[in-house]
Amino acid sequence: MNVGIVGGGIIGCATAWELSRNGVDVTVYDGRPVAGGATHASAGVLAPYLGAHDPGPLQPLIVRSCGLFDAFVRRVRDDAGVAIEYSRCGSIEVALDETEADSLSRFAAMHTAAGARWVDGDALRRLEPAIAGDPHGGVVIDEHGYVAAPELTAALAVAASVRGVSFIGERVASVNCESAQPAIRTVAGQSSRFDRIIIAAGSWSSQLAPGTTVRAVYPVKGQLLRLKWPAPKMERIVWTTRCYIVPRQGGHVLVGATMDDVGFDESVTEAATDQLLSAAHSVLQMPSGAGMVEARVGLRPATLDGLPIVGCSRTSDAVIFATGHFRNGIALAPLTASLVTDLVLGRALDPALDPLSPKRFGL
Ligand SMILES: Cc1cc2nc3c(=O)[nH]c(=O)nc-3n(C[C@H](O)[C@H](O)[C@H](O)COP(=O)(O)OP(=O)(O)OC[C@H]3O[C@@H](n4cnc5c(N)ncnc54)[C@H](O)[C@@H]3O)c2cc1C
């Protein structure tokens, strides 16, 4: 069995690695370096219950995928032989006013089974002294955490290479499934046939969908800052309605993130940087020496119903979509890789795939 994957972001690399662990011969195509798309900008937060108080169909998928993360990271580390920054540091979702306190305390009461607990403003400041102003309390969830997404993806690519996956540094011009074996044609004109082709091209996936002009996946631009953060170190992810902050090793924090519907524009803007810096200043007491190191930008692959697209194409069972993960592609990577591997190997279909079918968008 040989499989071609379009896209070397976290979804393409996680799937390539998982397939190679199952003995499949895999080739990954991407004109950018590994993790050069949205994955590069991601905060890597693994937190099904942050800012997501509506228990829609996405939440159980994120819970399930985050539950796979410990073993996933351990196996990637073992295969790749490299360190990956990964921590279950916990999170605090901060109530900035009475209305937020009211809804967050109710949320905590309803989610004790998920480890959520409400703390008042004083307890919250004791847990995370960097929080500024007069917070009205917050929800603490110890299970939440983060992973360094570009690092994890680079490690996935190394782990996949070790298992024989080939990486071709070329953009794919088209995916053709008119004959029994679908084909990938690169922009340089090289054509290769595969038993299965996986479209994991993030925000660009719709451009490759064979036989349709439907724009089922569209880009939502996000900008994020990395700040130098001298001691004392922040311990937990801090989430507010203005911005979120992820404490990182090596004296840094990430501050995210903007959301703009501006097409395929990947430029860093001063306005977004100012917006994030001002939000961070309003939420945190900055230690002396804190300051901006870099701004990152990425295009989140969004879909009209907010759910990813994972499953076989309407036109051919040999073409599989793994895309549309919007704000949760890092958290959903282990589950997506496993679901796609089941599809490729013809294993029993997981019911989790039902709401994710590409056919709901005519793909
Ligand atoms: C600011 C920001 C913060 C985020 N924070 C989080 C977070 O905390 N937690 C979380 O879970 N998610 C987060 N996300 C979302 C997450 O980053 C994405 O859902 C995830 O990276 C999507 O991965 P992907 O592999 O599908 O897409 P991408 O990483 O975009 O990869 C797609 C790849 O396909 C390639 N490609 C496109 N077209 C072609 C072609 N024709 N031929 C070959 N290759 C092609 C691109 O070059 C790219 O490398 C965040 C996103 C942003 C922007």
Side-chain angles (χ1 to χ4, degrees):
M1 164 84 73
N2 74 341
V3 170
I5 298 182
V6 189
I10 191 154
I11 299 297
C13 288
T15 305
W17 174 67
E18 191 64 40
L19 285 168
S20 66
R21 291 177 66 234
N22 284 273
V24 178
D25 181 8
V26 183
T27 305
V28 178
Y29 293 81
D30 199 322
R32 300 184 186 203
V34 159
T39 302
H40 158 77
S42 177
V45 173
L46 309 172
Y49 299 102
L50 277 182
H53 304 145
D54 166 23
L58 192 57
Q59 201 173 57
L61 297 177
I62 304 175
V63 170
R64 190 171 153 196
S65 195
C66 285
L68 302 173
F69 246 92
D70 284 357
F72 184 77
V73 170
R74 194 174 52 246
R75 283 200 298 260
V76 181
R77 272 182 190 145
D78 288 351
D79 263 17
V82 296
I84 300 164
E85 187 180 341
Y86 166 62
S87 169
R88 293 283 179 167
C89 57
S91 67
I92 305 180
E93 185 160 3
V94 182
L96 297 173
D97 58 34
E98 274 306 320
T99 314
E100 288 183 12
D102 194 43
S103 91
L104 281 176
S105 57
R106 272 188 282 116
F107 170 80
M110 278 160 42
H111 289 82
T112 49
R117 64 180 198 279
W118 172 256
V119 294
D120 65 20
D122 290 340
L124 189 144
R125 265 192 306 269
R126 279 195 299 278
L127 282 174
E128 197 53 83
I131 293 172
D134 187 21
H136 291 240
V139 181
V140 177
I141 301 185
D142 294 327
E143 269 296 291
H144 284 166
Y146 74 88
V147 66
E151 223 172 73
L152 169 62
T153 309
L156 280 162
V158 171
S161 302
V162 167
R163 289 181 179 270
V165 173
S166 308
F167 285 81
I168 310 266
E170 269 185 58
R171 198 172 164 75
V172 169
S174 64
V175 171
N176 185 321
C177 58
E178 271 152 27
S179 67
Q181 255 201 329
I184 278 176
R185 192 170 55 79
T186 67
V187 288
Q190 289 285 341
S191 207
S192 306
R193 294 205 171 277
F194 294 94
D195 297 315
R196 300 279 185 280
I197 290 174
I198 294 160
I199 299 180
S203 291
W204 298 268
S205 297
S206 288
Q207 298 168 359
L208 290 160
T212 175
T213 52
V214 177
R215 289 283 171 260
V217 185
Y218 61 94
V220 173
K221 180 178 179 181
Q223 295 185 69
L224 171 138
L225 306 180
R226 186 158 68 93
L227 305 185
K228 187 167 177 236
W229 190 270
K233 185 180 180 306
M234 286 179 64
E235 297 299 335
R236 292 174 171 77
I237 296 163
V238 171
W239 191 278
T240 75
T241 43
R242 293 180 201 152
C243 66
Y244 60 82
I245 299 98
V246 184
R248 295 290 303 269
Q249 288 170 9
H252 291 110
V253 300
L254 301 180
V255 179
T258 58
M259 295 257 260
D260 292 300
D261 192 354
V262 290
F264 287 91
D265 169 12
E266 290 178 89
S267 59
V268 169
T269 66
E270 218 175 287
T273 302
D274 290 348
Q275 179 194 325
L276 289 170
L277 279 176
S278 130
H281 275 281
S282 75
V283 169
L284 299 175
Q285 302 175 42
M286 301 275 178
S288 83
M292 194 168 122
V293 178
E294 62 169 338
R296 297 179 190 167
V297 62
L299 302 177
R300 304 176 185 91
T303 62
L304 289 174
D305 61 6
L307 290 176
I309 301 174
V310 183
C312 296
S313 144
R314 170 183 63 84
T315 46
S316 166
D317 281 352
V319 175
I320 295 167
F321 286 91
T323 186
H325 293 79
F326 191 38
R327 301 184 73 181
N328 298 294
I330 312 306
L332 287 168
L335 179 61
T336 303
S338 154
L339 292 173
V340 173
T341 300
D342 287 351
L343 277 170
V344 168
L345 297 180
R347 292 175 181 153
L349 289 190
D350 193 308
L353 284 167
D354 292 346
L356 311 183
S357 169
K359 291 162 191 149
R360 72 192 195 275
F361 293 120
L363 288 178

